[in-house]
C-alpha cells in the first residue's frame, strides 16, 4: 500500500493565515469530518491541539468520540446522541459535544439538557429550519428542555464569484436579529453565531462572527477564482507509492487492463502500489502526470498503477487540487477518497 505524509509546517502555516483572519485561534473551529478530509482524524486532532486549536466540527457522534480528549468544543453536524453509530460505552452526558438541529421535526429526538445549535436555512435549502420557522424552533427547543448555544447557517456559493454570497449574508443578518430577540424572550443565554466555511471566512472584509468552521483552507487545498484567491496556503498531504516491479515495454506493446496505453518506443515502466482501492480516482487513467513530470500510463487498477518511472518511491501527488483537475472533480473528493488504512506519517 502507498503511504501518506502530513506536513506539519504547512498545516501550521495555514492555521496562521486563518487565525490572522479570524483574529483569534479560538475562533477557528477545525472541520475534521470524513477522517479529517482524508488526512487522518486522530493525527490531525493531535496536531491541531498542539497548535492551540480548541474547537472542532465533525459529522457524526462516532467521530466526535474519537477526538473528544483533544478539544473543549466539538460540533456534530448531523447525528443524534443515541444513534446507531454511537458506542453504548459512551457517557450520555458530555460537556464537549454539541448537536445540530437540522429540522424542526427532530427536536424531540434530543434528550433533555443536550447542548444544541440551531441550523437555519438562509438559501442553500439543504439542511436547517426555515427563517419563518425560527419562533417555532425556539419554542420547541425550550419545551424539549435543550440548551441552545448558537444559531448558524451555511453558504451555498461562497467559493464562486457571484452576488449570492451577499444576499445569503443579508438573510443571516436578519436571522441574527430575530434570534437575539427570541433568545431573550425564551430565556436562553447569549447566543453565538457562525456562518463561514473556508471560502466564506476569506470573503469577510472584517470577520466579526463568533467562530468560523474551517476545513479545506486548513488542509491547503482551496480552489477559488483568481479574484478571491487566498495567498500563502500550502497543501498538507502528499501521497507516495512504492515500486512493485519494473519492466521494459517494447515499442507497440500495451500496458494494463484493456491495453489502453501503447508504447511509442521502447521504454522502462514500473508498477506502484496505489490503485483505486486505495483512493486513486480511476478516471485519472492515462490522464495524469505527477508533480515531477512523471506520466501515469494505462488504466489504474485496484491496487496498482503504472508510471514511466523507475523510482523506488514515487510521489503520486502533493497537491490534491492538481489531481482533482485531471479527475474533473474537486480537491475535497480526491482527499476524502483516500482510505483510512493507508499509513499516515507526520513530517
Ligand atoms: C464541511 C463543512 C464546512 C467546511 O467547509 P470548507 O469548505 O472545507 O471550509 C463548514 N460548515 C459545514 C456545515 C460543513 O458541512
Amino acid at each position: 500500500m502507498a503511504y501518506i505524509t502530513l506536513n506539519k509546517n504547512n498545516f501550521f502555516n495555514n492555521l496562521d493565515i486563518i487565525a490572522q483572519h479570524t483574529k483569534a485561534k479560538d475562533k477557528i473551529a477545525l472541520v475534521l469530518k470524513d477522517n479529517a478530509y482524508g488526512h487522518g482524524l486522530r493525527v490531525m486532532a493531535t496536531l491541531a491541539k498542539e497548535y492551540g486549536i480548541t474547537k472542532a466540527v465533525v459529522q457524526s457522534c462516532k467521530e466526535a468520540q474519537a477526538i473528544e480528549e483533544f478539544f473543549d468544543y466539538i460540533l456534530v453536524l448531523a447525528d443524534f446522541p443515541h444513534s446507531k453509530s454511537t458506542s453504548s460505552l459512551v457517557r450520555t452526558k458530555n460537556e464537549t459535544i454539541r448537536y445540530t438541529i437540522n429540522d424542526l421535526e427532530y427536536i424531540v429526538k434530543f434528550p433533555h439538557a443536550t447542548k444544541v445549535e440551531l441550523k437555519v436555512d438562509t438559501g442553500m435549502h439543504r439542511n436547517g429550519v426555515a427563517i419563518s420557522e425560527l419562533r417555532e424552533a425556539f419554542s420547541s427547543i425550550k419545551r424539549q428542555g435543550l440548551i441552545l448555544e448558537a444559531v448558524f447557517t451555511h453558504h451555498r456559493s461562497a467559493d464562486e464569484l457571484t452576488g449570492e454570497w451577499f444576499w445569503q449574508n443579508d438573510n443571516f443578518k436578519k436571522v441574527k436579529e430575530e434570534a437575539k430577540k427570541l433568545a431573550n424572550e425564551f430565556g436562553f443565554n447569549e447566543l453565538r453565531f457562525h456562518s463561514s466555511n473556508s471560502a466564506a471566512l476569506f470573503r469577510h472584509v472584517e470577520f466579526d462572527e463568533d467562530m468560523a468552521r474551517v476545513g479545506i483552507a486548513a488542509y491547503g487545498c482551496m480552489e477559488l477564482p483568481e479574484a478571491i484567491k487566498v495567498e500563502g496556503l500550502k497543501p498538507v498531504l502528499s501521497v507516495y507509492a512504492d515500486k512493485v516491479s519494473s519492466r521494459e515495454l517494447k515499442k507497440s506493446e500495451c500496458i494494463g487492463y484493456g491495453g489502453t496505453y501503447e508504447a511509442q518506443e521502447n521504454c522502462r515502466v514500473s508498477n506502484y502500489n496505489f490503485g483505486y482501492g486505495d483512493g486513486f480516482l480511476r478516471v485519472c487513467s492515462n490522464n495524469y502526470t505527477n508533480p515531477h513530470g512523471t506520466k501515469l500510463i494505462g488504466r489504474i487498477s485496484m491496487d496498482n498503477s503504472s508510471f514511466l518511472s523507475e523510482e523506488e518511491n514515487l510521489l503520486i501527488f502533493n497537491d490534491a487540487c492538481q489531481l482533482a483537475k485531471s479527475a474533473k472533480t474537486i480537491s475535497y473528493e480526491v482527499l476524502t477518497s483516500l482510505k483510512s488504512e493507508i499509513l499516515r506519517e507526520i513530517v
Side-chain angles (χ1 to χ4, degrees), residues 1 244 271-278 300-305:
M1 202 185 263
V244 180
N271 195 47
Y272 292 88
N273 60 1
F274 185 57
Y276 61 78
D278 309 300
I300 295 168
S301 49
M302 193 180 295
D303 299 307
N304 298 274
S305 46

Side-chain angles (χ1 to χ4, degrees), residues 256-268:
Y257 282 117
T260 57
Y261 175 85
E262 185 185 325
Q264 300 303 303
E265 54 196 49
N266 294 355
C267 57
R268 295 290 298 176

